[in-house]
């Protein structure tokens, strides 16, 4: 058993469905919820070409066999006369035991293999399966360990940070026959993050994604994972990729406006274009099939109709803050809504969700910047913004994460006793709790023990001999701090922070914003406080150019805190979490657009942002004024 095999064996049971996986298995529950397994299997079956002989199906991480049972039922419904041979791999004997018992009771024959698929896949014959359906284990590189991760990189040609989903997916193309179908259930973060580049490369290479469902914060799993379903075929498909997302609506939040077609004007077609039920599960497709647009595989491009019912920019301005949710589908099931041809709003399991329909857009350089949803009218709006864009945030300055101590209980507190440590080493700390749009509240008075020379431009730890109180305090926690062996292995002092950033830069003004927030909270800080790792920051000292740094900083805050900034984020970045929360990380914020600072609207935006940063509680009218100025700056 190799190093990474042992790690898979240990973690596959825990990583797939969260910490409660063992408990669920004990009660006969399976890794993949039944309804989700049936949806995935139905979409896969709808794509399978009618074979000349039998079909071979593989699940490389089958667990309790839920996906194999679901695909067998879906194929039996669509191709009842075609024999199906199924193979399931897993390392978990308990899960396989439950799968064997279930198969025996149902009279289903499956070749169950208690083995490491990643170790054995190279010996499997090329083009030996017509269908692969999988929910691979989600185990991060850090859990695998350096040696195991390096072995996987070499075997599967992976780059950068990855989780176990990546090698599982990388192994699939060689095993599929031409036009074979791959159904993947995994975390949706691969769509937009840099770390998802490996998966995106596979789905743009030997495989071609034809359907994509971002299931967002539907909580289909008990674990805190936002799932996505991808249907891909082996080879180059002639059609575009249908892209559907579903996220909970947040009535109290300032939502982005996505101009789109008038729902009543749409004549929807099934994604497969075959006249079969949209989801391959007997669901009735609403409306009769109309002629497909060229190259779409029988599905009208997202939002495209005979008459384009897009909103004008003036309409968008008037509707600011009102999301384009589409018609409310009374009593609709989630999976029915995913198969509908238009945007919709549904109530499901006590919550209201917005279902958005579009096409997959693959931007240039998507290996690093991720994918997004394309929509008619919406993309026209993006083109208009891009035409008036002067620079991006990332063009002007480096966007840095805050400090990461990797021992917060030792270094961070709101209740430092006296005389625990020398006061000059205790710095005010800005956390996400302190941030409001425009300003840092700082009412919590959190402080961090920061053992670095604040006057030095490089990271220079203090000499503890000059700070006896601090030395004694840290010595009490030496065991905890020394356990961070990766720090000392890198030649660092045992009492340092893992990511301290550049100490001298804390004393200059900076723009600070939280990592996770439903709405933008970009604020100007002049206090000299340190920024915590749950936030990001832009130092004004690094805003170089022909314009004053503070003017640029205020312009950046104005754009980021505007309705246009939110809408641009949702269109281009789109990394949403539960309950409408967004990730405001370097990768995304660096792409936000800036208008020419010399133009009159941009000057006015910067001036208004400066005023708002000084107000204890900005009036709502000021936000409307800001949004109007930002729209004018981009000529919208």
């Amino acid at each position: 058993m190799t190093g990474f095999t042992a790690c898979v064996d240990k973690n596959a049971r825990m990583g797939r469905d969260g910490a409660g996986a063992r408990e669920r298995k004990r009660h006969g529950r399976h890794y993949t919820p039944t309804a989700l397994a049936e949806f995935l299997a139905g979409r896969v079956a709808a794509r399978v070409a009618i074979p000349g002989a039998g079909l071979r199906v593989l699940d490389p991480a089958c667990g309790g066999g839920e996906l194999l049972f679901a695909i067998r039922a879906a194929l039996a419904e669509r191709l009842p006369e075609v024999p199906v041979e199924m193979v399931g791999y897993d390392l978990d004997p308990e899960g396989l035991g439950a799968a064997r018992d279930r198969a025996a009771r149902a009279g289903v024959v499956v070749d169950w293999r208690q083995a490491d698929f990643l170790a054995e896949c190279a010996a499997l014959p090329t083009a030996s399966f017509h269908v692969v359906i999988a929910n691979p284990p989600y185990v991060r590189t850090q859990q695998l360990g350096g040696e195991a991760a390096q072995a996987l990189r070499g075997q599967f040609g992976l780059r950068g940070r990855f989780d176990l989903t990546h090698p599982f997916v990388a192994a699939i193309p060689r095993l599929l026959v031409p036009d074979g179908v791959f159904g993947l259930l995994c975390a949706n973060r691969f769509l937009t993050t840099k770390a998802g580049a490996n998966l995106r490369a596979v789905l743009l290479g030997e495989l071609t994604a034809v359907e994509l469902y971002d299931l967002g914060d539907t909580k289909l799993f008990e674990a805190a994972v936002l799932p996505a379903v991808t249907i891909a075929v082996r080879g180059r498909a002639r059609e575009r990729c249908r892209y559907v997302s579903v996220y909970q609506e947040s009535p109290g939040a300032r939502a982005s406006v996505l101009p789109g077609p008038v729902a009543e004007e749409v004549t929807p077609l099934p994604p497969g274009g075959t006249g079969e039920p949209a989801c391959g599960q007997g669901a009735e497709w609403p409306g009769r099939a109309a002629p497909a647009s060229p190259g779409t595989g029988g599905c009208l491009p997202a939002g495209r109709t005979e008459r384009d019912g897009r909103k004008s920019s003036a309409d968008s301005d008037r509707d600011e803050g009102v999301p384009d949710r589409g018609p409310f589908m009374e009593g609709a099931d989630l999976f029915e809504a995913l198969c509908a041809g238009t945007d919709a709003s549904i109530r499901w399991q006590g919550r209201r969700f917005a279902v958005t329909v579009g096409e997959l857009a693959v931007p240039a350089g998507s290996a690093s910047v991720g994918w997004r949803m394309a929509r008619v009218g919406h993309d026209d709006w993006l083109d208009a913004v891009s035409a008036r864009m002067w620079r991006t945030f990332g063009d002007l300055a480096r966007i840095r994460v805050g400090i990461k101590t990797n021992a917060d209980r030792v270094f961070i507190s709101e209740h430092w006793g006296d005389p625990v440590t020398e006061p000059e080493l205790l710095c005010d700390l800005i956390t996400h709790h302190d941030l409001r749009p425009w300003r840092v509240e700082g009412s919590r008075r959190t402080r961090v023990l920061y053992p670095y020379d604040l006057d030095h431009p490089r990271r220079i730890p203090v000499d503890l001999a000059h700070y006896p109180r601090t030395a004694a305090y840290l010595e009490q926690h030496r065991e905890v701090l020394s356990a961070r062996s990766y720090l000392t292995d890198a030649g660092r002092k045992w009492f340092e922070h893992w990511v301290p950033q550049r100490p001298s830069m804390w004393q200059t003004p900076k723009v600070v914003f939280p990592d996770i927030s439903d709405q933008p909270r970009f604020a100007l800080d002049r206090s000299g406080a340190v920024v915590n790792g749950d936030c990001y920051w832009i130092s004004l000292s690094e805003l170089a150019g022909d314009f004053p740094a503070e003017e640029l900083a205020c312009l950046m805050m104005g754009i980021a805190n505007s309705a246009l900034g939110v809408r641009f984020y949702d269109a281009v970045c789109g990394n949403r979490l539960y309950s409408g929360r967004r990730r405001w990380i370097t990768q995304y914020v660096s792409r936000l657009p800036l208008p020419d600072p010399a133009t009159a609207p941009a000057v006015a935006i910067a001036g208004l942002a400066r005023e708002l940063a000084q107000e204890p509680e900005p009036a709502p009218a000021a936000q409307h004024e800001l949004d109007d100025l930002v729209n004018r700056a981009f000529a919208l």
Side-chain angles (χ1 to χ4, degrees), residues 198-435:
N198 290 308
L199 293 191
R200 294 194 297 271
V202 173
L203 294 171
L204 288 176
E206 298 176 85
L207 297 177
T208 302
V210 291
E211 297 178 33
L212 181 58
Y213 301 89
D214 177 359
L215 301 176
D217 55 351
T218 50
K219 297 185 178 179
L220 290 166
F221 286 91
E222 292 183 22
V225 58
L226 280 70
V229 165
T230 306
I231 310 300
V233 297
R234 177 77 156 84
R236 289 287 177 182
R238 290 174 295 176
E239 62 189 283
R240 297 169 180 172
C241 179
R242 185 171 187 264
Y243 190 168
V244 183
S245 71
V246 52
Y247 282 87
Q248 184 178 354
E249 295 178 353
S250 303
R254 179 161 49 92
S256 59
V257 188
L258 305 182
V262 177
E264 288 74 16
E265 296 180 357
V266 176
T267 303
L269 296 177
T274 62
E276 297 291 331
C279 286
Q281 296 171 293
E284 183 177 345
W285 185 264
R288 295 178 60 84
S293 299
T296 65
C299 182
L300 285 172
R304 202 161 290 164
T305 65
E306 294 300 321
R307 291 186 294 122
D308 185 4
R310 74 186 67 171
K311 296 180 182 178
S312 68
S313 59
D315 289 334
S316 297
D317 290 345
R318 284 196 297 271
D319 293 342
E320 195 169 85
V322 181
D324 178 21
R325 297 184 173 102
F328 181 71
M329 297 175 63
E330 185 68 43
D333 176 76
L334 169 66
F335 298 106
E336 291 177 26
L338 291 175
C339 296
T342 64
D343 294 354
S345 181
I346 65 168
R347 184 168 296 281
W348 186 70
Q349 294 190 350
R351 295 186 292 156
R352 185 157 172 154
F353 291 89
V355 180
T356 308
V357 181
E359 289 178 357
L360 174 62
V362 181
S366 64
S368 59
V369 301
W371 291 346
R372 67 176 183 84
M373 181 186 291
R375 292 159 59 81
V376 172
H378 191 200
D379 281 16
D380 292 345
W381 178 85
L382 282 176
D383 291 342
V385 171
S386 298
R388 295 298 298 265
M389 184 173 68
W390 171 69
R391 297 282 191 277
T392 65
F393 281 35
D395 291 332
L396 296 185
R398 182 172 175 180
I399 301 169
R400 303 172 184 271
V401 71
I403 63 165
K404 295 182 182 293
T405 72
N406 286 15
D408 286 356
R409 291 186 179 181
V410 176
F411 289 107
I412 297 174
S413 178
E414 296 177 42
H415 309 287
W416 285 100
D418 186 45
V420 170
T421 182
E422 283 75 13
E424 57 267 37
L425 296 186
L426 289 179
C427 298
D428 287 338
L429 184 69
I430 297 172
T431 76
H432 74 280
H433 297 288
D434 303 315
L435 293 172

Side-chain angles (χ1 to χ4, degrees), residues 539-550:
S539 174
L540 269 62
S541 65
E542 293 187 313
L543 288 177
D546 299 330
F547 298 92
E550 188 158 321

